[in-house]
Amino acid sequence: MDSRDFPSHLRPVPSSGDSTAPALDPTGGTPGLTPPQTRGRSSGFVTDVIVDLGYVSDERARQAIEEARTAGRPPERLLLEQGAISADQFSRAVAERYGLDHVDLTAYQVDMAAANLVSVNSARRYQAIPVGFVDKETLLVAMSDPTNVLAIDDIQIATGLDCRVAVAAEEDVEALLGRLNTLQSAVSEATDEEGEAEEELAEVADMQVGAEDAPVIKLVYSILGQAVGEGASDIHFEPSEDEMRVRFRVDGVLREAAHVPKRMVSAVISRVKIMSDLNIAEKRVPQDGRVSVNVEDRRVDLRITTLPTQKGEGVTIRILDKDNAQRSLDDLGMGGDARERFERSFQQAYGAVLVTGPTGSGKSTTLYAALGDLNDVEKKIITIEDPVEYQINGINQINVNRKAGLDFATGLRSILRADPDIVMVGEIRDGETARIAIEAALTGHMMLSTLHTNDAPGAITRLTKMGIESFLIASAVDCVVAQRLARKLCSHCKRRAVIPVQALQEAGLRAAAELEAYEPVGCARCNQSGYKGRVGLYSVMALSERIKEMAVAHAPEAEIAAVARDEGMCTLREDGLEKVRAGQTSLEEVLRVTA
């Protein structure tokens, strides 16, 4: 029996040098996908392969064969049931027997767009589920029993695509089906229990749909459920000529999560628009919307933006998980002298505290943490934000509305007439807002705000360029915090490592000896990235009398930074090095976010 005698879907996988090889090359390093070591065994049994792979001895295999004659069960099944081999070893042996790929579903990144092409009930009946696209005409299907030709035929008929089989452990297939079913049902309509839906800031999605829309809705809900489950902050739907790519931003880094077939692209975009009450007929201009959904009994707000591109309409969804809204300074990773300086500044009766950094560096989260400490019945706190991302009890929050003429400067003037004790401005973007904020800090208000600069000393230069007099800056500003967010090492797979002195010095760090630390590895719990969660890196500069004098004298930024360091300010990299030493993150990650 040669390879032509196998059923079409069980023929050995072509080698990478074969012109008939599919676009997906499992030898290219796809985590969880392993090509066969052989082109299929033309003779022999699965037990022979189990012995060849070294999973059991030849004697143990012969014993199982003898037992199988009286038990009426395949010997390899007996080995599995008796614990002689694991489910993963069994599936790898089956894959080798037929010359097929093996897929480890605990490590392989499943494409939800492919998985949703087949209903969960059908996939459970077949013990087969699509997990990815080999190319635009071929699905990669994970099966526990690759000899089930009828299952493959039915999937091909249902999807209209060819199938390439990869063998997976039966328990892994069942676990994936359970997870997929959970994702599809996890997202539901967020209802207003108090009957005040019209006053709710976030509009609630209408989930009433027809049967013909069910596959698209299941796909959208699966993607939302997966994104929230993985802790993603954003979902990007990006159209191309042949399909639409879906990417998640997890811990500040984008990664591919799914590929939506071309025939479903328009329906998926329309479904997202319907959820957020946007005009589905308007595809020429950007649109913004909001919607609230429940994900596993947890309310999640979504901010949705559509963008017309040359290759079609794209969508970006910002996920605002209220469970992650309130973080303390302990949770953020701020400690030591930096935290003392920061707390001492925002606990004062008046003055300005600025948090600087690029977009996505966690500035607003740090200010929310400060407001959490300041939130007291004796203090009136008002914020103006663009937009209000998280609603906090006891704080008056205003949303910028430029169409109605309410911007930061206009709102800030009105706020100061409302007798506040503490004011937070989402961002100082222009000279007018900066001037009002600085004057408010000088007239008895505690002013908290964010600013876009690379480091703490740069805030002085930035305000000066906005037209604020240097003596006002020196009088009003008490503290400037520069920050970045670095990914935390996965606690399950991080590995000890030694960083040589040369590497530390090349990174601009003062070091006289090698550093014992940890490095990322990658496992199923962290999606093979080696990182899970994020930790803040902070550089806190308190404006001492000497620094204020330098600011009034228009001293260069570098000189101010040097004096601040002499007075105890740590740079972002130095704070990062402390977190590397503590095993929280890696040197590579610190260098990446502080470059």
Side-chain angles (χ1 to χ4, degrees), residues 264-280:
M264 297 179 68
V265 169
S266 178
V268 167
I269 296 296
S270 295
R271 182 59 205 162
V272 174
K273 283 179 157 185
I274 290 170
M275 287 174 60
S276 51
D277 198 25
L278 298 179
N279 184 357
I280 63 173

Side-chain angles (χ1 to χ4, degrees), residues 74 86 90 131 220 306 375 403 413 472 486 513 529 532 574 586:
S86 65
F90 175 76
V131 293
V220 173
T306 67
N375 195 0
K403 291 182 180 179
R413 287 195 194 93
L472 291 177
S529 67
K532 188 73 172 179
E574 287 170 346
S586 67

Side-chain angles (χ1 to χ4, degrees), residues 196-216:
E196 299 177 353
E198 293 182 358
E199 297 180 11
E200 188 71 39
L201 177 62
E203 292 295 330
V204 172
D206 179 10
M207 302 300 182
Q208 302 300 320
V209 295
E212 68 277 5
D213 297 322
V216 171

Side-chain angles (χ1 to χ4, degrees), residues 336-348:
D337 293 340
R339 177 167 174 173
E340 288 181 12
R341 290 192 190 97
F342 183 48
E343 288 185 328
R344 188 165 55 246
S345 296
F346 71 69
Q347 293 285 358
Q348 295 185 70

Side-chain angles (χ1 to χ4, degrees), residues 52-68:
D52 290 346
L53 292 175
Y55 296 152
V56 299
S57 65
D58 188 49
E59 180 181 352
R60 182 66 181 87
R62 285 200 299 268
Q63 180 184 345
I65 293 171
E66 290 296 328
E67 293 174 359

Side-chain angles (χ1 to χ4, degrees), residues 408-409 412-413 427-439 451 462-469 472:
F408 281 119
L412 188 52
R413 287 195 194 93
E427 182 183 347
I428 294 178
R429 297 178 178 174
D430 55 74
E432 185 180 9
T433 304
R435 180 169 294 279
I436 298 171
I438 293 296
E439 290 176 354
L451 198 65
R462 175 73 172 143
L463 289 173
T464 302
K465 290 182 177 179
M466 285 183 175
I468 309 300
E469 290 82 356
L472 291 177

Side-chain angles (χ1 to χ4, degrees), residues 49-89:
V49 182
I50 292 173
V51 173
D52 290 346
L53 292 175
Y55 296 152
V56 299
S57 65
D58 188 49
E59 180 181 352
R60 182 66 181 87
R62 285 200 299 268
Q63 180 184 345
I65 293 171
E66 290 296 328
E67 293 174 359
R69 289 172 180 169
T70 57
R73 304 287 302 281
E76 60 271 14
R77 282 286 175 184
L78 287 179
L79 290 171
L80 178 62
E81 293 169 3
Q82 294 168 0
I85 59 174
S86 65
D88 183 70
Q89 289 174 332

Side-chain angles (χ1 to χ4, degrees), residues 334 337-339 341-346 348 351-357 363 366-367 428 438 447-463 473-474 476-484 537-544 547-548 551 557 560 564 569-572:
M334 183 183 290
D337 293 340
R339 177 167 174 173
R341 290 192 190 97
F342 183 48
E343 288 185 328
R344 188 165 55 246
S345 296
F346 71 69
Q348 295 185 70
V353 174
L354 304 176
V355 181
T356 73
K363 301 185 297 296
T366 299
L367 289 182
I428 294 178
I438 293 296
M447 181 65 58
L448 306 176
S449 187
T450 70
L451 198 65
H452 284 287
T453 64
N454 289 328
D455 55 17
I460 297 174
T461 305
R462 175 73 172 143
L463 289 173
I473 298 172
V477 179
D478 291 308
C479 175
V480 182
V481 180
Q483 73 174 78
R484 300 289 189 276
L537 310 183
Y538 298 94
S539 175
V540 180
M541 182 183 74
L543 269 70
S544 64
I547 292 178
K548 289 181 179 181
E557 187 177 317
I560 295 176
M569 181 192 79
C570 286
T571 65
L572 289 168

